[in-house]
Amino acid sequence: MGLAGIPKPPLVARRVLPFVWPVGAAALTGLATPVVVVGAFASFVDKRARLFRVSCLGVGIMWIDVRMLMECWRLSLKDPKGTGPTWEDDHEAVFLAGLNRAMILAKRWVGFEVELDGRMHFGNEGAPLVAFARHAGPGDSVALAWLLGHTAGRMPKIVLAEALRWDPMVDTLLTQMRSYFVPSRTGAGDDRVEGVRELARGLKHDDVLLLFPEGQNFSPDRRRRLIDRLRDAGQELRARRALSLWNTLPPKTKGVVAVLDERPDADVMIVGHAGFGRLSSPKELWEAIPFTDRPFLVRTHTYAAGDVPDDAPAIEAWLDERWTEIDAWVTAYEQ
C-alpha cells in the first residue's frame, strides 16, 4: 500500500500523540535494551554486528525524534502565540540540528555516509531553488534534506506524505516550517497540486523546495507493477518509457509543472543518487549493513531559471531527459 494509502491521524490522535510519544519512547527503550545486549553478544558470531548496530541506531534515532519534539515545546512556551520574528527560524534550527545528529548516528553505527560526485552549484544567491530528486533506497529523503541544509546553506521545504503526521515530531515541527503534507489517496477531493503551488509561492530567496517527482521509492517490483498497470490501461507509450528506465521510475510532472509555473524565477537542481537504490527489501538492507564500502553518492546539476522551459509540454519533455540521464548514471555506477 505504501504511505500514500495511509490516512492522516484524526485530530484527537494528533493532539494526544505528542504527550504519549515520550512515554512510549521510554517504554520502547526498555524493551530494546535486551535486544541491544543480545546483539552485543551476537557480534562475536556475526562479525558485522548487524543486530547490535541496528538496535543502537534505532534507539538513538528515536530519542533524536523525542528531543526535537521537546525543542518544539520549548519554543511554544517561549512564544505561545507563534508570532515572534524568529519563530520559523527557531524551528528551522531545530530541524537542521536534528538532521545533523541523525546523520552522525547513521555514520557511527551503520557506516552511512554521503559523498558528492562533482561540485554542487546552489543557484543564484538572490533566487529561490527547487530540487527535483530521485527517490530510492532507505533514508534518501533525510540524507538529501541534510545535504541541502548543511552543504547548500538553504532551508529545505519538503513535500511529504500526510501519513507521516503519525510521528508527532514531524507533524509539529514540519507544520511550523510550512512543509506540504500530500493527502493520502483516501482523501477524496483534496487538490494536491494546489498545495505544492502554495509551498512554491512561499519560497524565500534562501529556501529550497525538495520534491521527488517519482512519487514513491524505486524498487524492481514497483517498476514491474507500474509497467503492467500502464499496459493494462492502454498507455503503451508511457509503458515503453518506463521500460527504458532500469533504476528509476518515470517522473510525474503535474507537481513539477505547478512549481515551475508558480516560480519561474527559481533555479532548478536535478539530484541523482546511487549506491542504495537496489536495497529495496529488508533482507537486502540487512545483508548490506554496515555500509562502510557503499557510500550514498550524490550527483547534482543546477540550471538557471532562464534555461528551464516554461510551458507544460516542454517541461515534461525536459524532465524526461533529465531522468534518462540520472538512470544512465545510476546504471553505470551500480553495474
Side-chain angles (χ1 to χ4, degrees), residues 103 144 168 187 214 223 253 261 334:
M103 294 298 293
L144 294 178
E214 290 158 288
R223 176 179 177 270
T253 56
D261 181 61
E334 295 189 346

Side-chain angles (χ1 to χ4, degrees), residues 76-99:
S76 293
L77 290 174
K78 178 183 174 183
D79 183 5
K81 295 183 179 180
T83 56
T86 64
W87 174 257
E88 189 172 330
D89 291 341
D90 290 342
H91 284 84
E92 290 174 348
V94 170
F95 178 68
L96 290 180
L99 286 181

Side-chain angles (χ1 to χ4, degrees), residues 4 180 182-187 189-197:
Y180 174 54
V182 180
S184 69
R185 295 192 187 102
T186 60
D190 290 306
D191 188 348
R192 302 178 184 184
V193 174
E194 182 53 37
V196 175
R197 279 186 177 276

